[in-house]
Amino acid sequence: MRFPDFLIIGAMKSGTTTLYRDLQTNPSIFMPEDKEPHSLCDDAVLTPAGREAYARLFRPAREDQLCGEASTGYTKLPDYPGVVGRAAATLPGHAKFIYVVRDPIARLVSHHHHALTEGRCSSSIEEALRELPELIEYSRYWTQVRPWVDRFGAERVRVVVFESMVKDRVGACVSLCEWLGVRARPELVDPGTVHNASERKPVLTGGWRALQQSWVYQRALRPVLSHTVRRTLRESLLPKAPERPGGPSEGVLERLRAEFAPEVRELRRIVGGSGEEWLSKYDGG
């Protein structure tokens, strides 16, 4: 059975779809059209049937290609515990892991808008912070990535800073390809294409969400519909996301900065040389 040589493990609302699509342009890399299978989020992947289902995603890959997938659920503690252990039990011993991060408050604000479009929280960020603990938890970057570093070692975990990546998507893709051990193909990356932008994005609500989560869609329809076809159907049939609500008050911003400062201080030890302002803003550097 073939399993991924690398994973994009998150963070949610931090550009993982863009990175996934950019890496997918490289002919030496195979990534399934189902971007987020989340197979390692459940113990089912440890069963013979679960291993077979996961391996089936990578069956079309050529022998000379690296395989990867991108599931943001892999860094969504405490909601999805045990992912690292399942990865260790399932993936090859050389597997590597890519974690994309952005300013934790900016990520939280984008996540809030995403949850609002799904009807899961209030339009007020102050109220939403009480309703959805995940808004803060998924921005605790060191808490989320530390289990991966502890289990696999820092040399097998690459933290990518979203703000730096969007400034130079071609360069970011080249650097990652070299780290993964494949020949970079910078001429194939189109930095002018934005993937999975939140603004006016189609909203999955009510019966449409039930359909997407159904066995018929997940097992029968999705595997045979290309990304382009699925995107066209969403844009044609679904309502658009609402405009973004107002941002956090200064008081809430101060509280969030204090909340995330210890996480950013720890993260900086493995981020490397990125000079993005938010990294020093949170840790006082």
Side-chain angles (χ1 to χ4, degrees), residues 265-276:
R265 281 196 293 270
E266 292 295 331
L267 185 73
R268 285 201 72 179
R269 297 194 294 107
I270 62 170
V271 164
S274 173
E276 290 303 327

Side-chain angles (χ1 to χ4, degrees), residues 14-15 18-19 100 160-169 172:
S14 296
T18 292
L19 180 58
V100 191
V160 174
V161 179
F162 166 79
E163 291 84 353
S164 295
M165 180 181 77
V166 296
K167 288 177 183 176
D168 183 10
R169 279 170 52 185

Side-chain angles (χ1 to χ4, degrees), residues 26-256:
N26 192 312
S28 296
I29 291 176
F30 174 83
M31 303 185 81
E33 278 298 312
D34 187 355
K35 182 227 170 189
E36 299 198 48
H38 286 107
S39 300
L40 299 171
C41 288
D42 191 277
D43 280 340
V45 76
L46 303 178
T47 68
R51 286 174 58 84
E52 170 62 29
Y54 193 31
R56 193 179 305 127
L57 295 174
F58 309 99
R59 198 169 290 161
R62 302 190 314 267
E63 285 295 323
D64 63 334
Q65 288 180 305
L66 283 187
C67 290
E69 59 114 327
S71 296
T72 59
Y74 297 164
T75 48
K76 288 184 177 179
L77 294 172
D79 297 319
Y80 295 103
V83 174
V84 172
R86 296 182 200 105
T90 305
L91 305 186
H94 61 263
K96 295 182 176 181
F97 311 96
I98 302 167
Y99 187 42
V100 191
V101 300
R102 67 190 291 191
D103 183 314
I105 294 177
R107 193 218 67 81
L108 182 155
V109 169
S110 182
H111 184 165
H112 169 244
H113 182 234
H114 176 83
L116 177 63
T117 65
E118 296 181 333
R120 296 197 294 122
C121 67
S122 167
S123 62
S124 162
I125 287 186
E126 288 82 352
E127 293 181 23
L129 289 172
R130 294 188 290 270
E131 297 164 347
L132 286 181
E134 67 190 49
L135 294 175
I136 288 179
E137 294 301 331
Y138 298 175
S139 278
R140 296 186 191 278
Y141 296 142
W142 179 242
T143 295
Q144 298 295 342
V145 79
R146 180 176 181 176
W148 296 91
V149 174
D150 288 347
R151 185 65 177 259
F152 299 106
E155 69 280 359
R156 288 170 61 188
V157 178
R158 173 66 66 91
V159 176
V160 174
V161 179
F162 166 79
E163 291 84 353
S164 295
M165 180 181 77
V166 296
K167 288 177 183 176
D168 183 10
R169 279 170 52 185
V170 173
C173 196
V174 167
S175 177
L176 283 171
C177 285
E178 292 173 347
W179 180 67
L180 292 170
V182 299
R183 177 192 168 209
R185 295 293 301 275
E187 74 279 8
L188 301 179
V189 178
D190 178 10
T193 301
V194 178
H195 300 284
N196 203 32
S198 295
E199 304 303 330
R200 309 306 293 162
K201 181 180 177 181
V203 179
L204 194 67
T205 58
W208 291 106
R209 183 182 293 113
L211 173 63
Q212 187 185 66
Q213 295 172 350
S214 69
W215 182 94
V216 172
Y217 178 81
Q218 292 292 333
R219 300 300 181 188
L221 294 178
R222 180 167 183 145
V224 299
L225 297 177
S226 70
H227 168 73
T228 300
V229 170
R230 297 200 308 271
R231 182 181 62 192
T232 300
L233 289 174
R234 285 196 301 268
E235 292 176 349
S236 300
L237 300 175
L238 299 180
K240 304 302 181 185
E243 299 293 337
R244 287 180 181 272
S249 67
E250 187 55 40
V252 172
L253 286 173
E254 288 183 10
R255 178 165 66 87
L256 291 174

